[in-house]
Structures are given as C-alpha cells and as structure tokens.
Amino acid sequence: MDKFVLSNLDLGIIIGYFIFIMILGFFIGKKLKSADDYFLAGRSMIWPFIGVSLFASNISNANLLGLAGEAYESGIAVFNYDWMAVVVLVLFAIFILPIYLKSKMFTLPEYLEKRFDQRSRLYFSALTLVGNIVIEAAAVLYAGALVVQLVFPDIPVWQIVTVLAVVAGAYTISGGLSAVIYTDAIQALLLVMGSVIITVIAYNSIGGVDGIREVATTGTLNLIKPADDKALPWPALIVSLPLLGFYYWTTNQFITQRILSAKSIDHGRWGVLFAGFLKLITLFIMILPGVMARKLYPNLENADLVLPTMIFDLLPQGIIGLVVAGIIAALMSSLDSTLNSASTLVTMDFVHKFKPNLNTKQLMNVGRITTVLFMVFAVLWAPQIAKFDSLFRYLQTMLSYITPPIAAVFLFGLFWKKTTSNAAFNSLLIGMATGIIIFLNNVIFESIDIHFLYVVPVLFTATSLSLIIISLYSKETKKDVEAFIWSREIFNQEKIELKNKKWYLNYRILSIILLIITAILVYIFR
C-alpha cells in the first residue's frame, strides 16, 4: 500500500466537493431577508434536517479519529458517550424543548436572562464563546489539519487550518444557519456512506464475526468497565456522563441552535429523536471498525491512524476521494456550526442587547463580521493544541472543568421554582472558582489525583449546594417565571393532545421505542 496517497481522481472529487459546498452556501445567502432567517433559518426547519444536522455537527473530525482509535486501543466502551446521549435527548424532548421553543429565544444565554437576570446571561454567553472558539473550533481545525497532513506532510499546520477555516467560514458567513443545516445534510450523507463502505469491506476482510472474536481480548466488546479503568470507569456512567451529556445537548448553543430553528415543537422533538437514533448507529459504522482493524493492522504505532489507514488500504480510487471528502465534511459540519453559533451569541447577547435599534440588515452584517473575526482567532489558536498530550484529553479535560456549574444552574432553573437570580449568578462564579482550584491542583501542580470524569460530580455538587443555600436565604423581588419552568400541567395537557395523533407522530411512543432499542444494545454489549 502506498501510504496516504491521493490519485488525481480522488483529489479532483475533494476539490469539486469544496466548490459545490461554497456555491450552495452563497446561493442560500441570497435568499436571506431577516435576522430570523440568518441566525435561525427563519424558524421553519423540519425534523429530518434538524436531526441530521445535530448528528453531523456532533461527529467532528476529532470524534471520527477518536472513535476508531479508541476502539482499536481499548474496545467499544467509547460508545457509552453515544447511548447516554440518546437518553439525554429523549429527556430533553419530553421536558425541556417545549420551554425553549415557546420562549422564541435566539440563544441559550437568553433563557438565563428570562429565567433569572442579565448577569447570568452575559456570563454564560461569554463562557460559551470561549468554549466554542478555544475548545471546539480550534480543536476541530487542528484535527482536520492532522488528517490533511497525512496526505500532504510538507504543508505546515497553520496553512492547512487557514484554508479549512476560509472554506467553512465562506458559506457560513453568506448563508447563516440555513446554509449550515443544508450542507450538514449533504455532509452527513457522505460521512455515513463512507463509514458503511469501510465497515462492510473490513468485516468481509477479517472473516466476519469469527474475525472480530479472534481479535477481541477480554473487555474489548464490553461497555461496562471496572471502577479503576483509566479511560471510562463504570461509576462515571452514573455520575458524570449524564451531566456532560445534559450540558452538551441541551445548553450548548453550538448544538441547540438548530433545535431553536424548528418549524414547530413537534418538528423539534422528532428531529431530536431522529438524531438520537443516528447516534446509535455509530457503534456499527464508526466504533466496531476500529476493533476490526486490530486484525488488519495489528502493529499500528498511532491509534489515531486507524481510520485513514483503512480508507487508503481498503477502498478503490474514486471512493477514497468521496470518503476523504466525508471526513473533511465532518470537520466542516462542526466548524460551520461553531462559527454560526458564536456569531449569534455576540450579535444577539451583546450587540443587539446594547444597541437595540439596529435593523435586521445591520444585525446580519454584525453576524458576518463576527464570524470572520472568530474564524481568524480559531486559526491562530489551533496550532497551540499541539502542545497538549492528546486532542481527546484536551477536549474532555476542558469540558469536565467548565460545564458542571452550567448544567446545575439550568437544571435548577428549569425544575425548581425557588431558584433565585442571585443564587444562579453567584453559583456560576462559585462553580468556576472551584473548577479553577481543582484544575490547578490536579493538572498543573499535581498535588491531587482525581480522574477528570470524577471532577464533574464534585463541581456539580458544589454548585448545587450553593444554589440551594443562596436561594433559601436570599431575598429578591419575585417575577413571573412560570413560562420558563417545567410543570406537571404542561405534561398533562400534552397527554390530552396526543390522544388524537397516530402512534408514529406521538413523540412519547417514539421516545419509548428509542429507549428500548438503546437498552437492548447496552444489554447485549454490557
């Protein structure tokens, strides 16, 4: 095998794909007429596009390389993140999504202002911006550069990330969320198609089930790991992953923005459940191929090279170009979503907040300028990630220290009416301060040794106690927050409305079916 060499045909397909995506983004951009159109696709998106876009944005280059690489090294336990996401998405669809959509908000920080006050909104918006650009966009750009460098090793990382950012930024700047969602649909199709082809060829090459069993050492095909496992100890499935999943899928502007674009509550719910179903298939087309690679390539020095090795070794010319385009598509899906959500946060949470008289055209221009600025910052920061031990550890560590306080404030705000504005803001600060102290002692000074997943419940508990204590003892003027809190009455009213719907349109029945499928998979691979 000529390692990581693209034929002219494959290279032509990749370049053609880039050109097509950019033209599509510019074409969509010409039809935009309002801020609603630009930032939330006119609030008219239907469920298939919402579901596919959620899936495509979640599966970034880092995830693609990481899923196969992690499976190659330690087995399928990494799938725990995916099936837990399904549980979180079902709960989100049932309890939280209607509150978000009925509020007609542009951003998730906007919810905190409506539920609490402006302080929490601005704090969370600023924190989300830092996370979107420093963690998500930069990490995705860096991962994409690593893939491109496999084929073009002489091109510096900074040049690769610049080109990738310009391509993704170009159609995002022009077409807004509509361009992001429609291009995500195309990119997800390429991604799934390529993954299926690789899986089928690898499965046949190793001799099917017998081949998998041959290379599957103890625990390789098991989701539940021992409590002392270095990668994913089983207690973390109970105390950590649900909280990380809650933050990622229900409070992260990067993800929830396409849900806010839903045509109706029904389309939002169906889209969320569809995304959950798509998350389940990653086990078969993105994780198990990493296990199969153990037999095909038993001596790989770098597990992150599993997926590229399979692509260039197993696929014929032409198909390689399509699949590599699919991998780059995964990068584009995450990057365009991050840039669009970041520009929405700046425009609606800061600029529009302090300059409410700006017209629709001016707001769209602010969004476009912001996208350019963040694109430049992400390009400058991305090469710095090379200084960290691994991309996966960089992502997971940062999220574990930042997200638990946010999850706590949203959960209490949504489900406990007595939570006060002072409690929310001060608890966010207390959670951040606690996270910084633990990070310094655990990572920088190494005076303590706590698994990064166990940091999550510690920070969540500290923030929750702060929320309860301050809420019970703080005095503030009560305001009407009924519309932003889940209530039993909402649930009962929906029960009456659902009686007249066919079973396949009833989100509760669909949720139960999805949870049953998830439970069966977890039981089989426990």
Side-chain angles (χ1 to χ4, degrees):
M1 174 183 67
D2 293 326
K3 193 172 184 180
F4 309 134
V5 175
L6 283 174
S7 68
N8 291 333
L9 174 62
D10 296 317
L11 190 58
I13 289 173
I14 295 171
I15 294 173
Y17 167 78
F18 274 165
I19 294 173
F20 168 73
I21 289 296
M22 293 179 70
I23 292 174
L24 178 62
F26 289 130
F27 175 76
I28 293 172
K30 290 182 179 181
K31 296 185 176 183
L32 302 179
K33 297 179 180 179
S34 69
D36 265 11
D37 289 342
Y38 187 79
F39 295 112
L40 290 178
R43 300 186 193 268
S44 61
M45 201 55 61
I46 59 177
W47 69 268
F49 288 107
I50 294 172
V52 169
S53 184
L54 286 170
F55 174 73
S57 296
N58 172 244
I59 302 296
S60 67
N61 256 23
N63 278 332
L64 276 176
L65 297 181
L67 288 175
E70 187 71 16
Y72 182 86
E73 284 194 322
S74 57
I76 66 170
V78 69
F79 180 64
N80 284 307
Y81 288 93
D82 292 316
W83 73 258
M84 185 60 72
V86 177
V87 176
V88 172
L89 286 170
V90 167
L91 296 176
F92 175 58
I94 295 173
F95 299 106
I96 304 172
L97 184 146
I99 299 173
Y100 283 1
L101 291 184
K102 287 177 181 178
S103 70
K104 294 293 182 181
M105 58 189 182
F106 278 87
T107 70
L108 265 296
E110 190 177 342
Y111 169 82
L112 290 184
E113 180 173 26
K114 292 181 176 181
R115 175 62 179 88
F116 299 118
D117 59 22
Q118 179 177 290
R119 295 174 300 169
S120 295
R121 175 181 183 173
L122 295 180
Y123 171 86
F124 181 43
S125 187
L127 188 67
T128 303
L129 283 170
V130 173
N132 276 3
I133 303 305
V134 174
I135 299 177
E136 187 66 36
V140 171
L141 275 175
Y142 180 71
L146 293 181
V147 173
V148 175
Q149 271 200 324
L150 295 176
V151 182
F152 304 105
D154 296 328
I155 301 179
V157 169
W158 72 268
Q159 292 182 12
I160 298 173
V161 298
T162 300
V163 172
L164 293 173
V166 167
V167 173
Y171 68 79
T172 305
I173 291 167
S174 176
L177 186 62
S178 294
V180 170
I181 290 178
Y182 288 128
T183 53
D184 278 356
I186 298 170
Q187 291 159 353
L189 181 63
L190 274 178
L191 181 61
V192 171
M193 181 191 72
S195 298
V196 169
I197 293 173
I198 291 173
T199 302
V200 171
I201 295 177
Y203 182 80
N204 292 330
S205 298
I206 66 171
V209 175
D210 292 337
I212 295 177
R213 289 173 176 167
E214 183 181 331
V215 294
T217 56
T218 303
T220 301
L221 298 179
N222 297 109
L223 292 172
I224 311 302
K225 294 290 188 178
D228 59 351
D229 186 74
K230 293 182 179 180
L232 188 55
W234 73 261
L237 297 178
I238 302 171
V239 300
S240 304
L241 263 59
L243 294 173
L244 291 175
F246 176 82
Y247 162 79
Y248 185 85
W249 291 103
T250 71
T251 72
N252 186 359
Q253 183 73 21
F254 164 71
I255 288 294
T256 54
Q257 188 160 335
R258 60 254 313 112
I259 299 170
L260 298 178
S261 73
K263 182 179 181 179
S264 66
I265 291 176
D266 278 338
H267 278 279
R269 278 171 161 156
W270 297 335
V272 166
L273 297 177
F274 183 42
F277 173 75
L278 293 175
K279 288 293 291 177
L280 293 180
I281 69 174
T282 60
L283 172 63
F284 304 101
I285 66 173
M286 296 177 185
I287 296 174
L288 281 176
V291 176
M292 299 177 197
R294 288 182 164 200
K295 182 172 183 179
L296 295 171
Y297 320 104
N299 299 311
L300 279 181
E301 295 181 1
N302 185 353
D304 286 339
L305 296 183
V306 169
L307 185 60
T309 300
M310 296 177 81
I311 290 171
F312 285 90
D313 187 38
L314 300 178
L315 301 182
Q317 290 186 13
I319 300 298
I320 290 178
L322 285 174
V323 176
V324 171
I327 291 180
I328 298 175
L331 166 120
M332 309 295 275
S333 294
S334 290
L335 186 58
D336 59 25
S337 301
T338 304
L339 292 174
N340 185 255
S341 65
S343 71
T344 305
L345 288 168
V346 170
T347 304
M348 305 312 295
D349 284 345
F350 292 97
V351 177
H352 186 53
K353 181 74 177 175
F354 298 105
K355 289 185 176 292
N357 295 324
L358 291 180
N359 60 37
T360 288
K361 186 175 181 180
Q362 289 172 321
L363 289 174
M364 290 169 64
N365 287 335
V366 169
R368 289 181 170 123
I369 293 170
T370 304
T371 301
V372 173
L373 294 176
F374 280 129
M375 181 177 67
V376 171
F377 186 82
V379 167
L380 294 175
W381 177 253
Q384 307 306 315
I385 298 177
K387 298 177 182 178
F388 291 81
D389 290 338
S390 72
L391 181 59
F392 179 80
R393 181 56 59 91
Y394 170 78
L395 290 169
Q396 296 302 320
T397 300
M398 297 296 284
L399 288 175
S400 295
Y401 285 94
I402 291 175
T403 62
I406 298 168
V409 169
F410 267 88
L411 280 170
F412 275 80
L414 285 161
F415 296 104
W416 193 40
K417 185 178 180 179
K418 293 182 179 180
T419 311
T420 65
S421 301
N422 285 330
F425 179 68
N426 287 302
S427 295
L428 285 171
L429 296 181
I430 290 171
M432 179 182 69
T434 306
I436 291 173
I437 292 172
I438 296 176
F439 179 83
L440 290 174
N441 285 281
N442 198 34
V443 178
I444 305 300
F445 303 123
E446 297 183 348
S447 58
I448 58 176
D449 183 18
I450 305 175
H451 193 289
F452 69 89
L453 286 175
Y454 290 145
V455 172
V456 176
V458 172
L459 291 179
F460 181 82
T461 301
T463 308
S464 298
L465 290 174
S466 172
L467 282 164
I468 294 171
I469 294 171
I470 298 176
S471 292
L472 293 177
Y473 289 96
S474 63
K475 296 181 180 180
E476 63 182 40
T477 303
K478 292 184 178 180
K479 65 175 183 176
D480 184 15
V481 295
E482 296 294 337
F484 310 108
I485 300 175
W486 182 84
S487 68
R488 184 74 183 181
E489 288 74 19
I490 296 175
F491 193 78
N492 291 335
Q493 180 61 37
E494 288 180 347
K495 186 177 181 180
I496 297 173
E497 296 171 356
L498 290 171
K499 286 183 178 179
N500 298 321
K501 289 190 176 183
K502 296 179 180 179
W503 71 268
Y504 54 84
L505 298 178
N506 187 324
Y507 79 92
R508 293 185 186 179
I509 294 177
L510 296 176
S511 296
I512 292 172
I513 293 173
L514 187 57
L515 288 176
I516 290 174
I517 295 173
T518 304
I520 291 172
L521 281 177
V522 173
Y523 179 78
I524 292 173
F525 291 99
R526 66 190 186 283

